[in-house]
Amino acid sequence: SQQGEEDPQALSIQEGENATMNCSYKTSINNLQWYRQNSGRGLVHLILIRSNEREKHSGRLRVTLDTSKKSSSLLITASRAADTASYFCATVGYNSGGSNYKLTFGKGTLLTVNP
Amino acid sequence: DAGVIQSPRHEVTEMGQEVTLRCKPISGHNSLFWYRQTMMRGLELLIYFNNNVPIDDSGMPEDRFSAKMPNASFSTLKIQPSEPRDSAVYFCASSLEASGRAGYNEQFFGPGTRLTVL
C-alpha cells in the first residue's frame, strides 16, 4: 500500500510556536497533498507538492518532499489556536492497473494549539 | 460558489433499512469521490467517477453498497440493507481532473453525512 503515515499521532503546542508534522509513504508517487480537518467538518485542501518539487510555501505553511526517503513534512509557523485540527497527508500514485492515479489518506495528526 | 453539497447531514436508521446519501459537486468539476471515515480505518476511498463514469470502485465494501452518477451535478451512494458496522461519516469530494485520473489536483470536500445504524 502507498498509504501515508503521519507522525506524530498527536501534537500539543503553545500559541506562537511552530508545529511540524511528518508523513512517510511506501511506493512511488505523482504528488502528495496535505489536508486539514476541523472537528466535525469536511477536509480542506492546504497544499499540493508534486514529485519533482522539493519545497512549497503557502502563507504560514511550508511543505517539503524527499522522494529518496519517501517522506514529507508540514511546518506551520507562528501557530494560532485556530490551527487546532487534524492534519492528513494524502499520497497519489497508481492503482493496481497502473493506469490511474489514486488518492490514499493517512490516519492524521491531531494538532492542539493552546492559547 | 456553494461548494460541495451533501444531504442529509445526519442520518439515523435501523439495521436492515435502505439509506441513500446525496451529493452535488462543484459546478464544472468532472470528478467525484465518495469516502468513508471511521476512527478505526481512517478515511477510505469507496468509489470515484470521472465524467459521470465509475472509474474505480475497488473500495466499495460489498454488494450492499452502490453508487450512481446520473449527471454531472448529482450522485448518490446507497446502502441496502444497512448494518451497524456501516456507521461512519461519509464524505463526497469533487475535483477537476484529466480523463480517468484522480488525485492529480486538489479535491474539495463536502461537510459529510454522519450515518448511524442502530
Side-chain angles (χ1 to χ4, degrees), chain A residues 11-63:
Chain A
L11 180 62
S12 181
I13 60 174
Q14 295 299 123
E15 210 166 23
E17 293 180 342
N18 295 342
T20 299
M21 288 158 273
N22 302 297
C23 173
S24 60
Y25 57 92
K26 296 178 181 177
T27 62
S28 61
I29 59 172
N30 173 276
N31 69 69
L32 185 146
Q33 304 177 30
W34 285 92
Y35 288 79
R36 182 188 73 224
Q37 183 179 33
N38 291 87
S39 179
R41 308 286 290 275
L43 280 75
V44 175
H45 183 268
L46 295 176
I47 200 163
L48 182 154
I49 186 165
R50 302 206 185 275
S51 59
N52 61 352
E53 298 176 307
R54 292 297 169 258
E55 187 171 313
K56 285 190 85 169
H57 297 256
S58 177
R60 295 183 295 113
L61 306 180
R62 172 177 170 254
V63 168

Side-chain angles (χ1 to χ4, degrees), chain A residues 15 36 38 60 79-85 87 111 113:
Chain A
E15 210 166 23
R36 182 188 73 224
N38 291 87
R60 295 183 295 113
S79 63
R80 306 166 182 168
D83 294 329
T84 294
Y87 291 81
L111 173 66
V113 182

